[in-house]
């Protein structure tokens, strides 16, 4: 009788945490910013999957511990011993093998998704190797068409972009549903390319060009952040990203091309000349790099 | 429950395995406990562990050297010949490496308590070490590149300098041991200092062999 | 015990007053070679550094209440998190663990002291100067190091001040000093555990805490030198004009990252393994059960040390890391879940059907073990390359590791302090205050660090003092939580100081625990044991009812 009751309880417990994990897995999508690239969807899928497995493990173990806390208390001052079990080969093997299988499964799934993202563009940095001079141009070596190449320049602490026809700007414009290659350059220190809605991140290393390929698929205005700490005004190193239709893009590019190059304003320089905090340390800091000269700046 | 009895036998029977181990290895696996009184064994163990750890610093420098050398499009800046495998360097290396055999012989002499022979051989080792250091300084002074000349300069001075520092330390240790050997009754409690200096000297020599191959033998 | 007499003779000269068990307070300020004194020196010193590191965190959280950068200027903010991270890791957790281990290891294995007492004292006395050197960089005109605790070049070698003596210089020198201290400690611990065990104390009779210290010190010995090497190279670049890490001169900043993480990933296990050891002592004692699956836990401990030295590049998924490396390190990183899982499951099974005593050490241990589950799961998520590329360098990572470093490790350290407090001081702490401390900490820590996960998922970057307004809500929660967390240390300090002065006297074994440290008096006499014990029983001997009772329990 007791045994049946116990099994029933256990079954109910597992059912509840299974349900909870599923629910968390579904909720997980809403914890992320909107998906603006084809790649984003897959990243969210793997996250949802990880979140549900994680919830299951977390609730399972905390559930058992909570149950013990609630039901297995010793009376105060009674230090007599509990169960004599020192171990159980069966159980120990079980809880070694099951997590092994689980993590292998997780890795294979992550690997597949990583590969799929690759197919759609995120080129792995293939040329870390010796044969290649570090200052070679675009290192993308796949034969499939990767679309237009836009060059991205990072320096302390400003972004600039160069499009076909030598048009330079301080905004990144991309065409919706068209693959694009971004060739990333850094002038002084490490920087990082990150647009949360794109779910991609890539560090940029001076004296080396790293290319990432992606395909935006959602119209809108986003924010590009520097994601690798780059010094004093790191937080201010941002730029607007517009994903727009082909027409809008072409129009904008034409306008940009027609403008005379001017010196772009940037936030870091502005703040450098006018700090405004309650406490000022007066620690000397690196001056922001020379502002870029661009055709178009917001 | 599969084994609710208390089985305190290890699943890897270290004690039993020890029987099949060579002596020097056995020294390092005092598995059953109760060896706290073996002061020599304990100290040598500690010193060996320290040297293993120290070798990782060298390893990190070697890795740096190899990685930089493989990725630099141009290892030698224009007009720089780089470290030269001259006769002086070869003689230097031969002297250093052969001093390992001398110091080994010295330690052997001490074991047999042939004090005169020990001091003589021990002193010879130090002299060979000094010869090496002097030779190295001479080489440094004659080079056509400095610390900040490309990657070749930085890595060269770093590797040889860090190794040289170890040679210097080794010589200091040897001098201390030599002086101490004149104190009456110095070896009554064992000769850990001498064994450790010897081991250290071997370590310095092995590092040199690797360093020598990487820096002088590896031609672009 | 054949060796005993010899031991006694060899050491008689060293310790004239081995009879008196009381250590005067002056001794704690002296160059003592007694492992117990050194252990306490470590623990007190590092706790002061914890308070300093925590105070810096309070300023960070104060700045982050509003989206603007309005409390401290940006160079100072960068200095704050750099120093906060560095202090917490290198001057709080790692040396605190060394201190606790110093105190406990000889007692647990039945030795009179560490293998090399003088080396032990030297290792400790390098910590205060190293730490003060680091802190003194706050007084430099152009401030402390500001490149984050990773100190990645080229940003770390830019030297905005232009002076030779700059913050980064101090940072490197002080870290090298602390590193050398750790290496000395490592040599000492490994030798002690291999050579100083009492007769009968075979490897598989050692408490898990000893296994944990063994594993973590092996990591210190064989991974830390890689950081030392990297720091020496960085120092050359910073002050002597080499270009090892300067990308414009064919140097390789990525190489630095490899050298750095080759140590600094294993370092997280150097920090956490001893705490797993603490859990493995406390949970059996307060469940009155033997540690379930002792041997697999011991092997998992060593296994973790091995695996953790093969996963370092998971911190570099978004660096210029080639695809094969990303995939390889994803596999190894996830594999770390297996041995860790063995431990979590073993603890769960230990508590299961036990006779639980929910006293303060147990509360902290259970809280820490559960919080680690959360941290580990977010860790495995980070291990998945495609997901990491989204959250790398965001608050998701900050949340992940604070769930370990605070909610697991610092909680575990508190558990250990309460657990061994009666042994170390001979007095009991106040249970009620202990429970208050636990609940404030547990709630405060979750309020502080949970919100970092949603923030990171939404894309909020770390190391910024200003952020987009939509992130404010969670940041306010985290900041308020952190102030609560800060306050929660006050009852702890009051309890410890008060109990030290006037707590009730503790018996030799107030928890009726097994283990050699409980078989000697509280506090232990100068050379720990009147007579070196001979070990005849397995560890965690909580199971046998009639035939064999742990000696200590029958004493009462
Ligand atoms: C201090 C201790 C500590 C510990 C123990 C861990 C444990 C783990 N960590 Fe964490 N980590 C840090 C401290 C720690 N970490 C720090 C300080 C950083 C950031 C440094 C910085 O950037 O400043 C970091 C960052 C970090 C990153 C880099 C993120 C980034 O920068 O982008 C990654 C990526 O893989 C990672 C992964 C892991 C994994 C897989 C584990 C695993 O070991 C966890 C394993 C445990 C479990 C999984 C739970 C128990 C297991 C089970 C119950 C079995 C079943 C479970 C499954 C099958 C899932 N960590
Ligand atoms: C290893 C241990 C460790 C510990 C224990 C902590 C503890 C805490 N950390 Fe820390 N943290 C790191 C290691 C640690 N941290 C590291 C490695 C980084 C990365 C640095 C980098 O990016 O380079 C980091 C970064 C980091 C950040 C991110 C900064 C940024 O990226 O911009 C934040 C932000 O909230 C933070 C907060 C906290 C808080 C609130 C605590 C709290 O738990 C602290 C609680 C303790 C106290 C508060 C002290 C005691 C109380 C007093 C002294 C009384 C005064 C109290 C009041 C006035 C209320 N930490
Ligand atoms: Cu700009 Cu990093
Ligand atoms: Cu890691």
């Amino acid at each position: 009788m007791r045994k049946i009751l116990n099994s029933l309880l256990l079954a109910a417990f597992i059912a509840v945490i299974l349900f909870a994990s599923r629910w968390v897995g579904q909720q997980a999508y809403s914890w992320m910013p909107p998906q603006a690239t084809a790649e984003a969807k897959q990243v969210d899928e793997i996250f949802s999957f990880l979140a549900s497995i994680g919830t299951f493990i977390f609730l399972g173990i905390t559930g058992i511990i909570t149950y013990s806390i609630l039901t297995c208390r010793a009376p105060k001052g009674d230090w007599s011993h509990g169960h004599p079990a020192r171990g159980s080969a069966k159980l120990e093997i079980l809880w070694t093998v099951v997590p092994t299988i689980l993590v292998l499964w997780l890795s294979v799934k992550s690997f597949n998704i990583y590969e799929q993202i690759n197919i759609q563009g995120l080129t792995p940095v293939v040329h870390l190797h010796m044969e290649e001079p570090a200052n070679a141009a675009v290192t993308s070596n796949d034969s499939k068409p990767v679309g237009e190449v836009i060059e991205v320049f990072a320096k302390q602490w400003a972004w600039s972009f160069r499009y076909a026809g030598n048009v330079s700007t301080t905004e990144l414009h991309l065409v919706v549903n068209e693959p694009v290659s971004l060739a990333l350059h850094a002038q002084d220190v490490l920087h990082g390319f990150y647009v949360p809605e794109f779910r991609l991140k890539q560090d940029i290393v001076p004296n080396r060009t790293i290319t990432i390929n992606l395909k935006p698929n959602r119209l809108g205005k986003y924010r590009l952040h520097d994601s690798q700490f780059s010094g004093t005004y790191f937080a201010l190193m941002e730029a607007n990203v517009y994903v727009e239709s082909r027409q809008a893009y072409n129009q904008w590019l034409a306008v940009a091309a027609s403008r005379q190059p001017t010196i772009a304003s940037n936030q870091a320089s502005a703040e450098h000349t006018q700090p405004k905090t309650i406490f000022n340390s007066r620690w000397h800091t690196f001056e922001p790099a020379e502002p870029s000269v661009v055709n178009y700046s917001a | 429950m599969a084994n609710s009895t208390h089985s305190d036998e290890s699943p890897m029977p270290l004690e039993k395995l020890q029987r099949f181990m060579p002596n020097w290895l056995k020294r390092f696996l005092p598995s059953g406990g109760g060896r706290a009184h073996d002061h020599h064994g304990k100290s040598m163990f500690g010193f060996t562990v320290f040297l293993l750890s120290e070798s990782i610093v060298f390893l990190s420098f070697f890795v740096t050297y190899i990685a930089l050398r493989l990725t630099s499009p141009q290892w030698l800046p224009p007009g720089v010949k780089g470290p030269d495998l001259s006769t002086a360097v070869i003689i230097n290396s031969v002297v250093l490496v052969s001093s390992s055999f001398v110091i080994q012989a010295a330690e052997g002499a001490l074991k047999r308590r042939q004090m005169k022979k020990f001091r003589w051989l021990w002193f010879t080792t130090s002299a060979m070490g000094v010869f090496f250091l002097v030779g190295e300084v001479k080489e440094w002074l004659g080079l056509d590149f400095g610390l900040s000349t490309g990657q070749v300069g930085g890595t060269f001075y770093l590797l040889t300098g860090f190794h040289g520092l170890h040679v210097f330390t080794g010589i200091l240790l040897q001098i201390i041991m030599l002086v101490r050997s004149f104190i009456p009754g110095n070896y009554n409690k064992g000769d850990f200092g001498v064994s450790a200096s010897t081991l250290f000297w071997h370590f310095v020599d092995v590092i040199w062999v690797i360093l020598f191959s990487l820096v002088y033998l590896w031609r672009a | 015990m054949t060796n005993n007499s010899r031991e006694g003779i060899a050491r008689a000269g060293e310790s004239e007053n081995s009879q008196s068990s009381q250590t005067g307070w002056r001794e704690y300020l002296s160059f003592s070679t007694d492992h117990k004194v050194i252990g306490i020196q470590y623990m007190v010193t590092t706790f002061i550094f914890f308070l300093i590191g925590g105070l810096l965190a309070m300023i960070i959280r104060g700045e982050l209440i509003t989206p603007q950068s309005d409390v401290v200027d940006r160079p100072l903010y960068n200095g704050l998190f750099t120093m906060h991270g560095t202090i917490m890791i290198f001057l709080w957790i790692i040396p605190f663990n060394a201190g606790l281990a110093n105190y406990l290891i000889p007692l647990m294995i039945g030795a009179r002291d560490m293998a090399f007492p003088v080396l032990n004292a030297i290792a400790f006395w390098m910590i205060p100067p190293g730490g003060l050197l680091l802190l003194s960089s706050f007084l430099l005109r152009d401030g402390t190091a500001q490149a984050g605790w990773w100190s990645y070049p080229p940003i770390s070698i830019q030297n905005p001040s232009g002076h030779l003596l700059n913050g980064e210089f101090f940072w490197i020198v002080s870290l090298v000093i602390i590193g050398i201290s750790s290496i000395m400690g490592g040599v000492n611990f490994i030798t002690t555990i291999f050579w100083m065990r009492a007769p009968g104390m075979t490897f598989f009779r050692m408490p898990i805490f000893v296994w944990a210290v063994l594993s973590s010190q092996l990591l210190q010995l064989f991974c830390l030198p890689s950081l030392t090497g990297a720091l020496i190279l960085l120092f050359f670049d910073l002050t002597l004009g080499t270009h090892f890490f300067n990308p414009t001169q064919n140097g390789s900043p990525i190489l630095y990252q490899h050298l750095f993480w080759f140590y600094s990933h294993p370092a997280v296990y150097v920090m956490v393994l001893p705490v797993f050891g603490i859990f493995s002592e406390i949970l059996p004692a307060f469940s009155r059960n033997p540690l379930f699956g002792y041997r697999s836990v011991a092997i998992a401990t060593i296994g973790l040390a091995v695996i953790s030295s093969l996963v370092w590049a998971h911190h570099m998924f978004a660096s210029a890391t080639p695809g094969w490396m990303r995939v390889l390190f994803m596999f190894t990183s996830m594999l770390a879940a297996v041995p860790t899982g063995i431990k979590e499951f073993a603890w769960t099974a230990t508590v299961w059907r036990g006779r639980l005593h929910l006293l303060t050490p147990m509360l902290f241990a259970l809280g820490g073990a559960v919080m680690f589950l959360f941290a580990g799961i977010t860790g495995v998520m980070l291990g998945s390359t495609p997901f990491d590329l989204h959250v790398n360098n965001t608050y998701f990572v900050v949340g992940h590791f604070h769930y370990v470093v605070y909610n697991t490790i610092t909680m575990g350290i508190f558990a250990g302090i309460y657990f061994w407090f009666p042994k170390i001081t001979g007095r009991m702490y106040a249970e009620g205050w202990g429970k208050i401390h636990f609940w404030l900490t547990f709630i405060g820590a979750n309020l502080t660090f949970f919100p970092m996960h949603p923030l990171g998922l939404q894309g909020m970057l770390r190391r910024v003092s200003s952020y987009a307004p939509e992130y404010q809500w969670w940041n306010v929660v985290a900041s308020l939580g952190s102030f609560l967390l800060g306050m929660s240390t006050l009852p702890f300090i009051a309890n410890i100081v008060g109990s030290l002065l006037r707590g009730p006297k503790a018996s030799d074994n107030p928890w009726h625990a097994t283990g050699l440290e409980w078989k000697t008096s509280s506090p232990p006499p100068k050379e720990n044991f009147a007579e070196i014990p001979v070990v005849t029983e397995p560890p965690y001997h909580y199971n046998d009812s009639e035939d064999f009772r742990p000696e200590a329990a029958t004493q009462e």
Side-chain angles (χ1 to χ4, degrees):
Chain A
M1 191 57 211
R2 235 205 114 134
K3 239 182 167 168
I4 299 174
L5 195 71
N6 277 346
S7 317
L8 272 178
L9 263 175
L10 188 67
F13 175 60
I14 292 178
V16 168
I17 60 176
L18 267 179
F19 182 78
S21 329
R22 222 186 102 80
W23 183 78
V24 168
Q26 282 162 351
Q27 289 299 304
Y29 289 98
S30 66
W31 302 339
M32 305 275 230
Q35 304 166 345
T37 53
E39 293 79 12
K41 193 162 165 291
Q42 280 149 333
V43 173
D44 292 7
E45 261 158 33
I46 189 77
F47 175 63
S48 156
F49 181 68
L50 288 163
S52 26
I53 298 235
T55 311
F56 184 80
I57 294 169
F58 183 76
L59 290 182
I61 295 184
T62 37
I64 296 172
I65 292 181
T66 313
Y67 176 82
S68 306
I69 290 177
L70 295 178
T71 60
C72 307
R73 302 273 280 277
K76 211 174 163 200
D78 172 3
W79 291 92
S80 57
H81 292 166
H83 64 62
R86 286 202 148 259
S88 146
K90 249 192 250 158
L91 261 180
E92 286 165 47
I93 290 172
L94 183 77
W95 69 44
T96 309
V97 172
V98 171
T100 310
I101 296 173
L102 217 56
V103 292
L104 285 181
W105 184 26
L106 288 175
S107 339
V108 169
K109 214 171 146 90
S110 302
F111 176 65
N112 283 340
I113 288 197
Y114 181 70
E115 286 276 273
Q116 282 171 34
I117 291 175
N118 257 339
I119 290 162
Q120 301 189 6
L122 177 68
T123 329
V125 190
V126 269
H127 289 255
L128 187 72
H129 300 296
M130 34 227 92
E131 335 82 75
E132 205 211 357
N135 50 0
V138 186
T139 59
S140 166
N141 69 338
D142 36 335
S143 43
K144 68 179 146 46
V146 285
E148 193 175 350
V149 178
I150 299 175
E151 297 199 72
V152 177
F153 299 92
K155 66 183 172 194
Q156 284 174 319
W157 290 268
W159 295 101
S160 60
F161 309 92
R162 197 165 68 204
Y163 300 78
N166 209 12
V167 180
S168 56
T169 73
T170 55
E171 297 176 350
L172 180 58
H173 285 245
L174 302 171
V175 182
V176 71
N177 291 333
E178 282 186 27
V180 59
S181 280
L182 301 173
L184 310 174
H185 310 263
Q187 177 181 310
D188 32 39
V189 298
L190 302 180
H191 297 269
F193 180 96
Y194 178 47
V195 179
E197 288 80 359
F198 291 1
R199 307 286 193 280
L200 299 177
K201 193 174 280 128
Q202 177 58 55
D203 285 7
I204 315 174
V205 185
N207 205 21
R208 190 162 140 191
T209 304
I210 295 171
T211 307
I212 56 173
N213 302 330
L214 54 96
K215 189 167 154 191
N217 61 3
R218 182 175 177 276
L219 294 174
K221 177 184 167 194
Y222 308 101
R223 204 76 175 139
L224 165 67
H225 302 264
D226 180 5
S227 60
Q228 184 59 280
F229 182 64
S230 60
T232 309
Y233 299 105
F234 167 63
L236 296 178
M237 188 167 155
E238 297 183 337
N240 283 335
V241 180
Y242 297 89
V243 176
E244 54 202 9
S245 67
R246 186 82 230 181
Q247 281 154 317
Y249 176 82
N250 286 344
Q251 247 169 25
W252 170 79
L253 199 61
V255 172
S258 68
R259 294 217 189 149
Q260 281 305 310
T262 51
I263 296 176
S265 69
N266 90 50
Q267 264 194 303
S269 311
E271 198 183 294
H272 188 67
T273 42
Q274 264 192 340
K276 39 175 190 290
T277 49
I278 298 171
F279 181 82
N280 194 334
S281 68
R282 282 178 228 290
W283 290 354
H284 187 266
T285 178
F286 234 66
E287 310 269 328
E290 291 276 297
S292 324
V293 177
V294 294
N295 298 82
Y296 187 97
S297 78
Chain B
M1 294 290 133
N3 45 15
S4 55
T5 55
H6 36 97
S7 43
D8 45 52
E9 288 302 310
S10 22
M12 293 178 293
L14 294 174
E15 288 86 351
K16 280 168 211 149
L17 270 179
Q18 266 190 322
R19 260 188 290 153
F20 303 102
M21 287 179 180
N23 261 331
W24 63 269
L25 190 62
K26 212 188 283 183
R27 256 211 342 238
F28 294 124
L29 260 190
S31 177
R35 295 279 297 269
H37 61 285
D38 180 357
H39 292 291
H40 184 87
K42 189 172 77 180
S43 305
M44 279 310 280
F45 177 88
F47 194 70
T48 311
V49 166
F50 169 74
L51 286 185
L52 287 175
S53 173
E54 183 80 355
S55 61
I56 308 282
V57 182
F58 277 106
L59 184 68
S60 73
F61 290 164
F62 290 146
V63 167
T64 303
Y65 174 82
I66 295 171
L68 289 177
R69 183 143 184 191
L70 288 177
T71 52
S72 288
Q74 184 192 26
W75 181 242
L76 297 174
V80 173
K81 284 213 316 289
D84 185 22
L85 184 62
S86 61
T87 353
V89 170
I90 295 175
I91 295 177
N92 234 350
S93 308
V94 170
V95 168
L96 186 71
V97 172
S98 42
S99 71
S100 249
F101 297 98
V102 182
I103 202 171
Q104 193 63 38
E107 201 199 0
L110 181 69
K111 287 241 167 69
R112 284 174 265 120
R113 288 293 179 268
Q114 300 166 326
M115 294 309 290
K116 275 240 175 66
K117 191 170 173 200
F118 160 70
R119 286 186 193 124
W120 186 79
L121 285 169
W122 194 255
F123 178 77
T124 310
T125 313
S126 313
M128 291 167 96
V130 172
F131 178 88
F132 174 84
L133 274 190
V134 172
E136 184 148 74
V137 171
K138 270 200 203 140
E139 189 202 353
W140 275 28
L141 294 178
L143 287 172
D144 62 347
F145 57 88
L147 185 62
S148 45
T149 313
Q151 298 297 349
V152 63
T155 50
F156 176 79
Y157 287 105
L158 177 86
L159 285 174
T160 53
F162 197 62
H163 175 263
L165 208 62
H166 281 73
V167 176
F168 184 71
T169 314
I171 296 172
L172 278 188
L173 286 177
Q174 288 163 6
I175 293 174
I176 296 172
M177 294 310 140
L178 189 62
V179 172
R180 286 228 315 235
S181 79
F182 289 100
I183 302 173
N186 181 47
Y187 297 114
N188 291 354
K189 279 188 274 165
D191 43 13
F192 162 67
V194 168
S195 308
S197 311
T198 308
L199 188 63
F200 187 74
W201 200 248
H202 292 326
F203 169 74
V204 166
D205 281 356
V206 171
I207 295 287
W208 179 256
V209 172
I210 302 170
L211 199 162
F212 181 81
S213 329
L214 283 177
V215 173
Y216 293 99
L217 297 185
W218 179 358
R219 301 276 96 189
Chain C
M1 253 172 297
T2 44
N3 324 323
N4 232 359
S5 45
R6 281 184 65 182
E7 266 293 284
I9 293 164
R11 301 193 149 256
E14 282 171 44
S15 53
E16 311 281 46
N17 53 348
S18 63
Q19 308 310 326
S20 75
S21 63
Q22 284 305 315
T23 321
W25 63 269
R26 266 170 224 281
E27 176 132 26
Y28 291 105
L29 298 177
S30 74
F31 189 84
S32 170
T33 54
D34 179 347
H35 75 97
K36 295 189 289 301
V37 174
I38 295 175
I40 290 168
Q41 287 173 330
Y42 263 110
M43 291 190 268
V44 173
T45 312
T46 53
F47 190 76
I48 294 170
F49 283 117
F50 169 66
L51 293 181
I52 297 172
L55 198 64
L56 302 184
M58 295 294 107
I59 307 173
I60 293 177
R61 285 308 332 165
E63 169 66 66
L64 292 176
I65 289 187
T66 58
Q68 299 81 29
S69 162
D70 43 14
V71 177
V72 294
D73 54 295
R74 294 188 195 266
L76 178 55
Y77 183 84
N78 295 345
L80 285 176
F81 68 69
T82 302
M83 297 295 273
H84 163 72
T86 309
I87 291 174
M88 287 298 200
I89 288 179
F90 296 107
L91 289 163
W92 159 236
I93 295 180
I94 293 181
F96 184 94
N97 283 343
L100 187 66
N102 231 301
Y103 197 98
L104 291 174
I105 292 293
L107 284 165
M108 284 181 159
I109 62 175
R112 298 205 182 279
D113 204 324
M114 296 280 284
F116 309 116
V118 177
L119 187 72
N120 201 14
I122 297 175
F124 166 73
W125 281 106
M126 293 177 79
I127 301 275
L132 288 178
L133 187 68
L134 185 68
L135 287 178
S136 67
S137 61
F138 271 112
L139 303 175
L140 291 175
R141 235 201 42 257
D142 293 315
T144 64
Q146 293 162 39
W149 82 280
W150 315 336
S151 202
Y152 275 6
I155 192 78
S156 56
I157 50 180
Q158 273 195 323
N159 189 9
S161 78
H163 301 299
L164 173 67
L165 293 182
N166 54 67
E168 188 67 27
F169 183 103
F170 278 54
W171 187 88
I172 295 177
V173 174
S174 117
L175 245 65
V176 170
I177 295 176
I178 299 168
I180 294 173
S181 155
S182 291
I183 299 275
M184 292 176 162
V187 169
N188 215 342
F189 281 119
I190 300 294
T191 313
T192 305
I193 295 172
F194 268 77
W195 289 80
M196 307 290 283
R197 282 168 290 120
M201 177 60 88
T202 58
F203 277 107
F204 282 93
R205 281 178 183 162
M206 300 192 309
I208 293 296
F209 184 78
V210 181
W211 277 102
V213 171
L214 177 66
S215 316
S216 66
Q217 294 299 327
L218 282 172
L219 289 175
Q220 288 285 65
L221 279 170
F222 296 115
C223 298
L224 194 143
S226 154
L227 175 65
T228 312
L231 291 179
I232 292 173
L233 296 170
L234 198 65
F235 185 85
F236 270 64
D237 275 8
L238 181 71
T239 44
L240 300 175
T242 53
H243 322 284
F244 299 122
F245 302 134
N246 183 346
T248 55
Q249 306 274 337
N250 294 320
S252 171
I254 307 299
L255 179 65
Y256 174 87
Q257 300 180 7
H258 281 289
L259 293 174
F260 179 83
W261 288 115
F262 182 75
Y263 171 61
S264 294
H265 178 82
V268 309
Y269 275 90
V270 172
M271 297 191 268
V272 88
L273 282 175
V275 169
F276 290 168
I278 293 174
F279 293 164
S280 304
E281 302 305 312
I282 293 177
L283 295 175
F286 291 93
S287 324
R288 314 306 300 154
N289 290 336
L291 181 68
F292 196 91
Y294 162 78
R295 275 195 250 151
S296 54
V297 174
I299 295 168
T301 306
I302 290 284
L304 261 175
V306 176
I307 293 183
S308 74
S309 53
L310 300 173
V311 306
W312 75 90
H314 69 205
H315 296 272
M316 301 164 57
F317 283 152
S319 291
T321 308
W324 64 267
M325 226 189 244
R326 287 173 166 172
V327 169
L328 180 71
F329 282 93
M330 168 170 84
F331 273 89
T332 56
S333 299
M334 291 202 170
L335 221 51
V338 176
T340 325
I342 292 179
K343 298 182 166 212
E344 281 283 352
F345 292 124
W347 297 329
T348 313
T350 304
V351 173
W352 179 249
R353 299 251 176 95
R355 300 174 58 80
L356 268 55
H357 295 261
L358 291 187
L359 300 176
T360 310
M362 182 65 163
L363 286 176
F364 273 102
L366 284 174
V370 167
M371 288 299 96
F372 181 68
L373 207 51
F374 191 88
I377 287 164
T378 55
V380 169
M381 291 174 172
L382 289 171
S384 163
T385 312
F387 175 65
D388 181 72
L389 290 180
H390 173 49
V391 289
N392 164 262
N393 278 341
T394 67
Y395 265 85
F396 192 87
V397 177
V398 180
H400 154 69
F401 73 75
H402 280 90
Y403 260 75
V404 197
V405 293
Y406 195 93
N407 299 15
T408 307
I409 300 180
T410 305
M411 297 265 273
I413 286 176
F414 285 136
I417 293 176
Y418 285 110
F419 186 60
W420 283 291
F421 185 82
K423 177 52 63 187
I424 294 175
T425 63
R427 290 178 187 274
M428 287 306 283
Y429 62 85
E431 187 60 44
W433 283 106
K435 291 212 169 93
I436 291 176
H437 175 211
F438 170 74
W439 284 110
L440 289 180
T441 310
F442 190 75
I443 295 168
N446 282 293
L447 277 180
T448 312
F449 300 121
F450 181 80
M452 296 182 174
H453 297 89
L455 282 174
L457 289 173
Q458 284 156 31
M460 177 172 165
L461 289 159
R462 59 192 286 199
R463 297 174 167 172
V464 296
S465 56
S466 59
Y467 52 84
E470 69 253 33
Y471 300 135
Q472 187 172 12
W473 195 82
W474 281 116
N475 269 301
V476 171
V477 177
S479 290
L480 295 180
S482 77
F483 300 148
L484 179 67
L485 190 59
M487 302 314 278
S488 78
T489 41
L490 299 181
F492 170 72
I493 298 172
N495 192 350
I496 292 299
V497 175
S499 306
L500 194 63
L501 297 177
R502 47 182 60 186
K505 285 256 180 299
S507 65
D508 289 353
N509 188 0
W511 318 125
H512 305 264
T514 65
L516 294 179
E517 79 268 32
W518 300 107
K519 296 194 173 175
T520 182
S521 62
S522 298
K526 190 114 195 171
E527 296 211 315
N528 296 348
F529 303 96
E531 201 175 307
I532 293 292
V534 177
V535 183
T536 54
E537 31 176 275
Y540 307 102
H541 213 60
Y542 291 102
N543 49 338
D544 297 319
S545 34
E546 260 77 55
D547 56 11
F548 200 96
R549 283 226 163 215
E551 274 167 44
T554 42
Q555 271 172 18
E556 310 258 320

